[in-house]
Amino acid sequence: MPPSDARPSPEALLRAAQREERGKLKIFLGAAPGVGKTFEMLREGAERLRDEVDVVVAVVETHGRAETRALLEPLEALPRRRIGYRGHTLEEMDLDAVLARKPQLALVDEFAHTNAEGSRHPKRWQDVMELLDAGIDVYTTLNVQHVESLNDVVASFTKVRVRETVPDSVFDGAEIEVVDLPPDELIERLKEGKVYIPDEASRALGHFFSKPNLSALREMALRRAALSVDRSLLDDLDAGAVAGAYAGGERVLVAVSELPGSDTIVRAAKRLADALRAPWQAVYIETPRALSFSEDQKHAVADTLRLAASLGATIATVPAERVIEGLTRHVQETRATQLVLGKSVRSWWFELRHGSVVDAMLRAGEDLAVHVIPASSTAPSSRLPAMTTGHWGKSSDYLAIAGLIAATTALGKLAEPLTGTGGVDLIYLLPVILASGRFGLRPGLVAGIASALAYNFFFLPPIYTFTIAAPQSLLTMFVLIAVGVFTANLAGRLKTRATLGARSAQENAAVAAFGQMLARTSDWKTTSELVCNEISLLLQLNVVVLNLDDGELRIIAGSSQAGDFSPVDRAAADWTWARGESAGAGTGTLNAADWQFHPLKTALGVLAVVGLSREDGQDPVSADRVLLLQTLLGQAALAHERLKLEGELREVSVLKERDRLRAALLSSIGHDLRTPLTSVSGAIEAIAAEHPDAATLPVARMEVARLRRFLDNLVDMVRIDGGALELHLEPIDLVDAIGSAVHDLKDLFRGRHIDLKVPANLPFVTADPTLLHHILINLLANAAQHGGEEGVITIEGTRTPDAVQLSIRDEGPGLPAGREQRIFDTFAQGKGSDRHGGSGLGLAIVKGFAEAMGVTATARNHEGGGALFMLNFPTSTNGVTSI
């Protein structure tokens, strides 16, 4: 199906020009870790190096694999940037070093990686975008589960929620190479320890790396790559004005109309798209006939387009003079491979005048599969096109035509002595052209026939009769009628095209102005009022914007008051807010309502609800305004999203300032109290030297030790908040660590029984000895304080398949129900029980120190009574959850 005008697409040419100015991105896409993405990237990088391309390794993770390390040897690797974070020293890609080196090609592993705090960009893919903007080509690796649009789908069957994702837009213009490995071979690699160490491999095989999961991920990777290739193909075809569908991937298009049965055709197209796993679109060709549609017909089109959108189709309205022309052009532009049409029952006279769309598409579609769905054979009378006065024009139009012909006749009588009768016929073309251009095609045809009759009556002998005596005069009469009909038809078509073009230009200008006005607003109230005013002005509707206020949807801007809503209207608005779906009049949900509600929805969720209604009680939006409304709502949703993000940014700034002041206060208190505390401790020891038998000495020493622990907690809390912890990990025997902590608390444990159940053969754990000592001190002091004066404190160590677990249990009243994990919050205390009286810092420090070392700290109530605190020391720091 060759295009009617083989011109390159301006949008495709612009995208191609933008890509030429940037570096080229190649993504090595895999279904799962271990398929060999990094290996393939390095192998191809080495080949480019042999071709004398300047290649550098910006960042590559070998994961201890010898074959990967061997591929790195011939390549230049740039040093990484070291970043201190909470006592850790992290290594990240040095973006500035790569930009300064400016190679032709940079190899960047793990595209979805999250950068350490303090980096210029939070995500590595943003670093890559900066490299591309600098004109540097980039090779990178990515697993399909890290693609944003597939994140929920992957989590639904793997039960693993991947937190590091990249937006789908990064695939635009990128070259995709799928690094594929059958599931059986990947599982074999996993068993051989080529992906994870053996203990981790056994856990992975039972969870993420099961064969069904790998097969599903493999299919997703192949389909995502095919989608990117298809989009790139369409861009290249549009930029080069190349004809043809190039059906590398299926693209389904369904044409809808005002006739009954369009909903059946849309559902058939949905089933076809699902069977082909192809994107699909519903299109309505808007012709001049739409001007004569009844309200029922307009609502039918709008309902059909809404149905298609709810089923997942993109929708489009294409203005055209004839359905066949508009549909043919749209098929060429979208390069559809599957077209779904309805075959309605039309009279032979209708098809003779307008043609058969089905027959025309079957003849024209060389690369197009046409699916014809029988439509309803009967139609309500209200759905049939009517020859209304609007179609033929108003009576005043014909009075104006009569006046034009009378004026032309008078002009002809004045000109006849100068030009003769033969020149008068051309003057009668004037009323035909004017009537066609002003009133339309059919009034123009009437003007042409009336002009011919007037010329015959007033100028052809015998004059003042309709008799034509000479054959030459008869020929002149028919020529004048033919010229009049042709001129009227041409003028009518031009007017139709001008009307459609002017309306499209007006709508585009209105949308652009709307977006500019929204960009200048800076508060919710002004933005909502602007949305109401502009949508009301453009669509002639009553518009309100609702948002949540004190747990209830309330009107924050618009032309109506809250009291105008009926219970059904309120239910529809609540449904839209909760589900993010349109509801109310003219929709499939609660259509008994007087208002129609639409969500302002973005990736952040539903931000507001827009309500629409008309004074006459009809459905608010006609078919020819559905796309305009959706565009306006999209602009409004983006404006509300911007305001929400700006508000969150301000809140984050306030929180950062508050945390800074709190850290400064805590640091000041902790350091300023150390000097007097040291003096008090020295004074107590001096008293003990003179009066060793004083009864108050043990109590004084215990309270001083308690106060010292409190100050130490303050200083440690500041270190945690400031990320100033320095880790020195080493193997530690838990028996020795517990003994040291108990010894330091001997005064607190005087007279208390401690049940130690830590086996001597328990494996060593990897931890920082100082931080672990602080953790044990705080947990044991907490157990002593809240476990009762004579309660036993049980310390137990056990080994699990993937961790060493240490638990500390007291015999106190336990933790408040539902607050077991909140007990670790800063300044949290056990409200609802007697677990209070402390500073609320000890357990928060336990949690902070434990997380810094990769240890999991949890709390719960023991079945036999009392609180149970557990520390889980992983036997390896690289678990399956790191994928």
Side-chain angles (χ1 to χ4, degrees):
M1 191 187 305
S4 56
D5 53 343
R7 293 181 300 171
S9 165
E11 293 81 3
L13 288 174
L14 179 60
R15 287 192 293 269
Q18 291 173 342
R19 285 197 298 269
E20 287 299 322
E21 297 175 357
R22 306 175 76 233
K24 293 179 175 58
L25 175 64
K26 182 171 183 177
I27 300 176
F28 293 85
L29 183 67
V35 297
K37 302 180 300 298
T38 304
F39 184 90
E40 183 64 20
M41 178 182 71
L42 292 174
R43 187 194 63 77
E44 195 159 325
E47 289 184 0
R48 297 291 304 277
L49 182 65
R50 287 193 291 271
D51 294 337
E52 298 183 353
V53 175
D54 185 14
V55 182
V56 301
V57 176
V59 59
V60 164
E61 304 294 342
T62 64
H63 300 290
R65 297 164 189 162
E67 62 271 21
T68 306
R69 286 198 301 269
L71 286 175
L72 275 173
E73 292 180 359
L75 299 170
E76 176 189 351
L78 296 179
R80 301 191 193 183
R81 188 164 66 96
R82 295 177 175 271
I83 300 175
Y85 179 70
R86 294 188 176 181
H88 293 271
T89 300
L90 305 178
E91 293 185 345
E92 296 289 357
M93 180 179 73
D94 194 336
L95 179 59
D96 291 325
V98 181
L99 292 172
R101 173 65 172 74
K102 200 171 178 56
Q104 291 176 274
L105 173 63
L107 308 183
V108 181
D109 206 4
E110 297 185 359
F111 195 33
H113 172 77
T114 299
N115 292 330
E117 189 174 319
S119 301
R120 180 149 74 239
H121 302 296
K123 299 289 186 178
R124 184 169 290 170
W125 66 264
Q126 294 171 313
D127 294 338
V128 170
M129 293 299 108
E130 187 169 344
L131 294 178
L132 295 175
D133 290 337
I136 301 173
D137 295 346
V138 176
Y139 285 179
T140 188
T141 62
L142 181 71
N143 288 328
V144 71
Q145 61 264 35
H146 294 287
V147 179
E148 178 64 40
S149 63
L150 303 177
N151 185 256
D152 292 341
V153 181
V154 172
S156 66
F157 61 84
T158 63
K159 310 304 180 187
V160 176
R161 172 69 69 173
V162 179
R163 301 298 178 187
E164 296 179 326
T165 60
V166 299
D168 290 60
S169 59
V170 301
F171 288 89
D172 296 341
E175 180 184 351
I176 309 296
E177 179 175 328
V178 179
V179 182
D180 190 29
L181 196 64
D184 289 335
E185 293 185 26
L186 180 57
I187 291 173
E188 191 63 31
R189 282 175 53 84
L190 197 66
K191 291 179 179 179
E192 294 173 356
K194 295 182 178 179
V195 180
Y196 295 114
I197 60 176
D199 288 343
E200 295 170 1
S202 61
R203 293 195 305 273
L205 286 171
H207 296 87
F208 188 88
F209 283 83
S210 64
K211 187 172 182 179
N213 285 354
L214 293 177
S215 298
L217 290 169
R218 187 187 186 198
E219 180 183 2
M220 291 173 65
L222 293 172
R223 289 191 178 279
R224 188 61 187 81
L227 177 61
S228 294
V229 172
D230 186 60
R231 289 179 177 173
S232 178
L233 169 66
L234 292 180
D235 256 3
D236 292 340
L237 294 176
D238 291 341
V242 181
Y246 284 80
E250 300 292 348
R251 295 178 286 276
V252 178
L253 180 69
V254 56
V256 303
S257 70
E258 79 285 358
L259 296 175
S262 285
D263 55 344
T264 303
I265 300 169
V266 166
R267 292 188 178 95
K270 166 64 173 174
R271 292 192 294 271
L272 176 63
D274 287 345
L276 297 174
R277 295 181 179 271
W280 65 297
Q281 183 184 74
V283 61
Y284 169 64
I285 308 301
E286 185 182 10
T287 64
R289 288 184 59 249
L291 300 175
S292 65
F293 283 175
S294 65
E295 287 298 320
D296 287 343
Q297 289 172 308
K298 293 178 180 178
H299 294 158
V301 175
D303 291 343
T304 305
L305 290 176
R306 275 195 292 267
L307 172 63
S310 68
L311 294 176
T314 57
I315 61 175
T317 298
V318 177
E321 188 176 341
R322 299 175 65 233
V323 172
I324 295 174
E325 295 174 2
L327 186 57
T328 302
R329 186 172 67 250
H330 194 68
V331 168
Q332 295 167 0
E333 292 174 353
T334 59
R335 300 183 187 270
T337 61
Q338 307 279 338
L339 176 64
V340 182
L341 294 171
K343 177 62 176 176
S344 58
V345 178
R346 300 281 198 180
S347 66
W348 67 270
W349 174 243
F350 184 93
E351 292 194 356
L352 179 63
R353 289 183 296 140
H354 300 284
S356 171
V357 176
V358 173
D359 293 342
M361 299 310 298
L362 287 172
R363 287 193 299 269
E366 297 177 0
D367 302 322
L368 184 69
V370 181
H371 303 262
V372 181
I373 310 297
S376 176
S377 59
T378 60
S381 58
S382 62
R383 294 290 179 92
L384 293 175
M387 297 300 183
T388 62
T389 57
H391 195 75
W392 282 93
K394 298 177 290 186
S395 57
S396 59
D397 298 343
Y398 293 97
L399 290 175
I401 291 173
L404 286 173
I405 294 175
T408 303
T409 301
L411 179 63
K413 286 294 184 181
L414 294 175
E416 186 177 16
L418 301 176
T419 63
T421 304
V424 175
D425 55 352
L426 296 177
I427 300 177
Y428 275 96
L429 292 178
L430 293 176
V432 177
I433 296 173
L434 292 174
S436 300
R438 178 67 180 86
F439 305 121
L441 174 60
R442 297 196 179 188
L445 294 176
V446 172
I449 296 173
S451 296
L453 293 175
Y455 175 66
N456 174 43
F457 187 82
F458 289 104
F459 295 99
L460 292 181
I463 61 174
Y464 306 122
T465 68
F466 291 104
T467 302
I468 303 176
Q472 181 180 0
S473 300
L474 181 63
L475 179 61
T476 303
M477 177 71 176
F478 280 116
V479 169
L480 182 61
I481 292 176
V483 171
V485 170
F486 175 78
T487 305
N489 182 51
L490 180 61
R493 293 174 62 182
L494 290 176
K495 181 183 178 182
T496 299
R497 292 183 178 180
T499 302
L500 294 175
R503 194 181 71 180
S504 297
Q506 289 174 353
E507 290 181 356
N508 292 336
V511 170
F514 182 56
Q516 291 175 355
M517 288 186 288
L518 286 176
R520 291 194 292 267
T521 58
S522 58
D523 61 273
W524 291 86
K525 181 69 174 176
T526 305
T527 300
S528 298
E529 290 177 350
L530 179 61
V531 169
C532 291
N533 294 337
E534 289 300 312
I535 294 180
S536 177
L537 180 64
L538 292 174
L539 300 179
Q540 303 300 312
L541 300 172
N542 295 325
V543 185
V544 295
V545 174
L546 303 93
N547 214 326
L548 212 59
D549 183 16
D550 293 332
E552 182 180 353
L553 275 181
R554 300 182 188 276
I555 296 175
I556 61 174
S559 56
S560 177
Q561 301 300 320
D564 294 336
F565 283 166
S566 66
V568 179
D569 291 326
R570 291 194 172 277
D574 292 336
W575 174 278
T576 299
W577 177 268
R579 301 293 185 91
E581 301 172 358
S582 299
T587 69
T589 304
L590 299 171
N591 56 11
D594 296 326
W595 288 75
Q596 185 181 99
F597 297 95
H598 297 271
L600 297 184
K601 186 177 180 182
T602 68
L604 301 180
V606 178
L607 304 177
V609 172
V610 174
L612 311 172
S613 74
R614 291 177 57 177
E615 298 290 349
D616 55 9
Q618 298 292 332
D619 288 350
V621 186
S622 59
D624 57 347
R625 290 293 182 265
V626 170
L627 282 180
L628 176 60
L629 174 64
Q630 288 189 341
T631 303
L632 296 174
L633 293 177
Q635 294 271 15
L638 291 176
H640 281 76
E641 182 183 48
R642 173 178 59 81
L643 293 177
K644 184 175 179 63
L645 292 175
E646 289 176 353
E648 291 179 351
L649 182 61
R650 286 192 293 268
E651 291 177 3
V652 169
S653 300
V654 172
L655 289 175
K656 285 185 175 180
E657 181 63 17
R658 189 188 68 181
D659 288 344
R660 188 188 66 80
L661 293 174
R662 186 186 69 175
L665 177 61
L666 293 178
S667 179
S668 176
I669 292 174
H671 288 89
D672 290 347
L673 290 182
R674 281 193 180 277
T675 299
L677 181 62
T678 302
S679 300
V680 171
S681 179
I684 291 175
E685 295 305 322
I687 294 173
E690 296 181 3
H691 307 281
D693 297 329
T696 57
L697 284 177
V699 176
R701 285 187 174 127
M702 186 172 63
E703 291 303 320
V704 167
R706 178 183 175 188
L707 184 57
R708 182 174 285 110
R709 288 197 303 274
F710 172 69
L711 294 180
D712 289 341
N713 285 342
L714 281 178
V715 175
D716 290 340
M717 197 71 247
V718 173
R719 292 168 62 200
I720 292 175
D721 288 344
L725 290 180
E726 294 183 4
L727 291 182
H728 302 284
L729 301 178
E730 60 184 60
I732 297 176
D733 187 344
L734 284 180
V735 176
D736 292 341
I738 294 169
S740 175
V742 171
H743 178 270
D744 286 354
L745 296 174
K746 59 181 182 297
D747 291 335
L748 185 62
F749 288 150
R750 197 179 304 277
R752 305 288 292 268
H753 179 65
I754 296 179
D755 187 6
L756 187 61
K757 297 181 179 180
V758 180
N761 61 350
L762 199 67
F764 282 20
V765 298
T766 302
D768 184 297
T770 303
L771 298 188
L772 180 58
H773 185 74
H774 280 281
I775 289 175
L776 295 176
I777 286 287
N778 279 292
L779 288 178
L780 292 172
N782 179 78
Q785 183 177 358
H786 303 293
E789 294 183 359
E790 298 181 357
V792 177
I793 298 175
T794 304
I795 307 173
E796 183 175 3
T798 56
R799 183 175 183 179
T800 64
D802 57 355
V804 173
Q805 186 180 90
L806 180 67
S807 60
I808 298 176
R809 174 197 166 195
D810 61 50
E811 294 183 351
L815 304 172
R819 297 176 55 89
E820 288 85 353
Q821 296 309 312
R822 294 185 61 186
I823 201 70
F824 288 107
D825 293 346
T826 305
F827 299 114
Q829 298 176 353
K831 296 179 181 179
S833 73
D834 68 348
R835 302 188 72 85
H836 56 79
S839 65
L841 287 176
L843 295 179
I845 290 169
V846 169
K847 187 75 170 180
F849 283 1
E851 289 179 348
M853 296 187 297
V855 177
T856 304
T858 57
R860 63 179 176 85
N861 286 314
H862 192 268
E863 294 82 354
L868 180 65
F869 292 87
M870 291 170 291
L871 299 174
N872 281 278
F873 298 85
T875 55
S876 174
T877 58
N878 297 319
V880 178
T881 55
S882 64
I883 57 177

